[in-house]
Amino acid sequence: MYSFLLFLHSVIRWGVLLSLLYALVRGVRGWTGHRPFTPTDNTIRNTTVTFSHSQLLIGYTLYFVSPLVASYRYGASDTVSLPLRFFGWMHPLLMTIVVVLITIGSSATKRQSTDTAKFRTMTIWFALALLALICAIPWPFSPLAQRPYLRLF
Ligand code: HEM
């Protein structure tokens, strides 16, 4: 179960990242070009929320089955390495903030009365989420913890 969850978590990261990026591109275009907020824009907003909530759920499950996190939780505090601390609290905390930003941004977008305001709201909240997301992903080049671009079984 652990390796399957890790595989899913690794793949869905691309769903979160790409849907967020695409929503942002459409958000900036719609905001600056005063375009109508179409059903496609709404679907992309919704898809981003769905990916991020699925990833949050898998992440929290992973947190309680990961041997890595277990050794962080039960290890002596002065011997805990940076990657262990990263997965032990930095990554979960930052990623939870990312999902909260996406969720607030998405529901605030729905409540706006004009199309330009919808695009502006979505762009601002999703841009903040993207910034935190990029910092919190364990990229192969990250100084905090390195993981592959795609984990296979
Ligand atoms: C948008 C949200 C998230 C993204 C994009 C994301 C992304 C990732 C990626 C790319 C990895 C490396 C996977 C691999 O080893 O191939 C990872 C590992 C991990 N994530 Fe997340 N994550 C997110 C949210 C969360 C949350 C909310 C938690 C926990 C509360 C969490 C817990 C973990 C843990 C424990 C690991 C390491 C597991 C291990 O190696 O044993 N993640 N995450």
Side-chain angles (χ1 to χ4, degrees):
M1 172 166 132
Y2 167 64
S3 51
F4 180 64
L5 285 177
L6 202 55
F7 160 77
L8 269 188
H9 201 63
S10 176
V11 173
I12 294 176
R13 152 253 311 250
W14 291 108
V16 179
L17 191 62
L18 295 178
S19 58
L20 194 57
L21 267 173
Y22 190 42
L24 260 176
V25 169
R26 292 188 71 102
V28 171
R29 267 195 341 203
W31 181 11
T32 55
H34 299 283
R35 295 175 190 227
F37 195 87
T38 64
T40 310
D41 296 303
N42 203 42
T43 304
I44 289 152
R45 175 196 59 75
N46 209 15
T47 306
T48 309
V49 174
T50 307
F51 272 127
S52 70
H53 285 182
S54 312
Q55 187 72 331
L56 187 81
L57 213 70
I58 298 167
Y60 272 94
T61 314
L62 202 50
Y63 192 84
F64 292 100
V65 296
S66 164
L68 202 88
V69 176
S71 56
Y72 165 77
R73 286 160 67 198
Y74 304 116
S77 58
D78 52 340
T79 59
V80 173
S81 66
L82 182 58
L84 282 195
R85 271 184 280 138
F86 177 78
F87 288 114
W89 69 268
M90 295 177 200
H91 176 81
L93 177 67
L94 263 177
M95 287 308 194
T96 303
I97 292 172
V98 166
V99 179
V100 167
L101 289 171
I102 291 174
T103 307
I104 295 176
S106 168
S107 53
T109 300
K110 277 194 287 188
R111 285 200 303 272
Q112 301 306 311
S113 50
T114 68
D115 287 351
T116 303
K118 281 182 197 286
F119 280 124
R120 186 183 54 232
T121 307
M122 187 169 80
T123 303
I124 292 170
W125 285 95
F126 283 15
L128 290 173
L130 182 68
L131 215 69
L133 183 81
I134 288 171
C135 298
I137 288 181
W139 298 108
F141 52 83
S142 167
L144 301 169
Q146 302 79 35
R147 290 302 174 87
Y149 285 115
L150 194 63
R151 181 176 292 277
L152 300 172
F153 277 110

